[in-house]
Amino acid sequence: MKCAWSDQPKDAPQLDESPFTAAPTQWGTPNDRELRRWLSVLVHGSLFFSSAGISLVVPIVLLIGSKDWVVRNNAKEVLNLQISLIFYGIGVLALIVLMGGPAIILVFIMVLLSILCPILAIIHCLQDPDTPFAYPYIMRPLT
């Protein structure tokens, strides 16, 4: 016996219509997408804790431990940003030694960018968790 609105027999097992059941999507379940979103935010947000060493530990752990390609690419991008900031800092320090006072403005620009870039990355990850964020103007030794 069949239902009037469906091709399934009336006595066929019914699907669980619970709102707590995750419906599969193109990227896996919605819970996977949320996990991807928050792990990516965690990776980029770890840059604010650089003095505690967390900014290196979190991306390395997620790069090694995560199987999600978006989280892995975000972790690589954070590590690439940190490597770039180290090299840029060495260059700015050399310019300060050579030029003196006027080059100190570059320090303020670097600090501003090291705060602004992670904020933009976090906003991007919250809005679109399915694409990794790419920092502009950095070296990418980890590809």
Side-chain angles (χ1 to χ4, degrees), residues 46-92:
S46 70
L47 287 169
F48 294 117
F49 301 102
S50 60
S51 62
I54 294 173
S55 65
L56 284 174
V57 173
V58 171
I60 290 172
V61 167
L62 288 175
L63 182 63
I64 293 170
S66 178
K67 293 180 179 159
D68 186 37
W69 69 276
V70 174
V71 174
R72 290 176 57 87
N73 282 339
N74 279 325
K76 285 180 191 175
E77 198 69 10
V78 167
L79 291 171
N80 285 333
L81 177 68
Q82 291 178 353
I83 292 168
S84 296
L85 286 175
I86 289 170
F87 281 111
Y88 297 157
I90 292 170
V92 167

Side-chain angles (χ1 to χ4, degrees), residues 93-105:
L93 185 63
L95 285 174
I96 289 173
V97 169
L98 293 175
M99 294 176 54
I104 203 103
I105 294 172

Side-chain angles (χ1 to χ4, degrees), residues 25 55 133:
T25 63
S55 65
F133 182 78

